[in-house]
Amino acid sequence: RPDPAAGPTVVGLGIFFQDVASLSDVDQTLDADVLVVARWRDPRLADRARGDASAECPAPDGRLWIPALEPENLRGRQAFYPTRFLVDGRGVVTYARRLWVKLAYPLDFRDFPLDRHRWQVTLWPVTSRTDEIVFHPLRSATGTNERLSIQGWRVGEPSIASSTGPRVGRAGSFAHVDVELGLERDWSYHAWKLGVPLTLIVLMAYGVYFIPASAVPQQIGLGMTSMLTLIAYMLALGGTLPRIAYLTRADRFFVGSALLVFLGLVKAVA
């Protein structure tokens, strides 16, 4: 570690989202293409001959101190190119890695499909405590690309903050960086996919009130057809909705539609 006698090494961190590809409601995972930028000063690499310029170098194995970091709830990671770094005349090292990552984070879907979320990514040092490493947020290196490939979501600008505190299962205090990304679901898709078909099924079920009272078989047939259509539609959409233990707005709409269709069937049979 650079100059351990001078106290903890200050490491600046920033995360730029090159792309946010997808968010899985079922798995509650986010796939993203990110550029992680870390910056710190290593006096051993200083060279006044460089002046204010920076030299690009490949990372020499075992000869360059690099802070070991790990994101919380990481499910997968793939690096795009070999590790490289920039170092200026004062020994300030700028280290950048472009990664494809899959991250998990628990979300609250009670307002689905009108839900909004703050997706949080937390970066921790693997072993170093606060007496060895502290973090400083690089807000200038944190942001998102103008065009993202994710569909069905509006992605806001990320925010970044650093703090210290305990870590579960580890003794001592650790520094960490939290990056929050605002996500707002585009509800129009679900309005057409859920709201309109269910409304039409309910209206179809209440067609029994317009069938003459003497046509009992036709009333029962329409009521049964509406109920079976609703059940089949609910089963077909079940795989696309989050598997959670509480009811969402969409679930309550489903239940309400089922009750209305059932009341139409009861009227046909009674």
Side-chain angles (χ1 to χ4, degrees), residues 26-211:
V26 177
D27 299 330
Q28 299 189 43
T29 56
L30 183 76
D31 292 326
D33 175 0
V34 299
L35 179 66
V36 181
V37 178
R39 187 173 292 142
W40 67 93
R41 185 170 183 268
D42 191 339
R44 298 169 297 184
L45 301 177
D47 186 354
R48 293 184 178 180
R50 296 194 192 100
D52 294 331
S54 296
E56 183 179 1
C57 310
D61 294 336
R63 295 171 54 194
L64 174 67
W65 180 85
I66 299 176
L69 307 176
E70 59 180 355
E72 213 169 57
N73 300 328
L74 179 67
R75 294 293 181 264
R77 181 183 66 177
Q78 178 184 352
F80 281 99
Y81 48 76
T83 302
R84 302 188 72 85
F85 71 97
L86 294 172
V87 58
D88 67 9
R90 298 188 304 111
V92 176
V93 180
T94 301
Y95 171 82
R97 290 297 303 271
R98 187 173 176 183
L99 304 168
W100 182 269
V101 295
K102 180 186 286 289
L103 299 164
Y105 188 74
L107 299 176
D108 188 346
F109 289 110
R110 286 182 173 85
D111 287 332
F112 173 84
L114 304 177
D115 46 336
R116 299 180 179 182
H117 305 282
R118 297 295 298 177
W119 188 282
Q120 181 172 299
V121 180
T122 301
L123 287 172
W124 298 87
V126 175
T127 57
S128 302
R129 298 184 179 88
T130 51
D131 59 345
E132 299 177 78
I133 290 180
V134 293
F135 292 127
H136 174 73
L138 297 178
R139 293 183 173 85
S140 60
T142 301
T144 58
N145 206 344
E146 292 182 1
R147 300 185 65 181
L148 304 174
S149 60
I150 189 170
Q151 299 296 318
W153 292 89
R154 299 184 184 93
V155 181
E157 284 296 316
S159 61
I160 185 170
S162 60
S163 183
T164 60
R167 190 174 181 187
V168 177
R170 309 267 181 106
S173 179
F174 293 82
H176 60 89
V177 168
D178 298 320
V179 179
E180 285 194 350
L181 191 65
L183 297 169
E184 181 181 356
R185 192 187 301 272
D186 184 1
W187 56 266
S188 59
Y189 167 82
H190 297 280
W192 288 104
K193 195 76 173 180
L194 295 176
V196 173
L198 285 177
T199 301
L200 293 176
I201 292 173
V202 172
L203 293 176
M204 181 177 70
Y206 272 75
V208 298
Y209 289 98
F210 300 93
I211 298 176

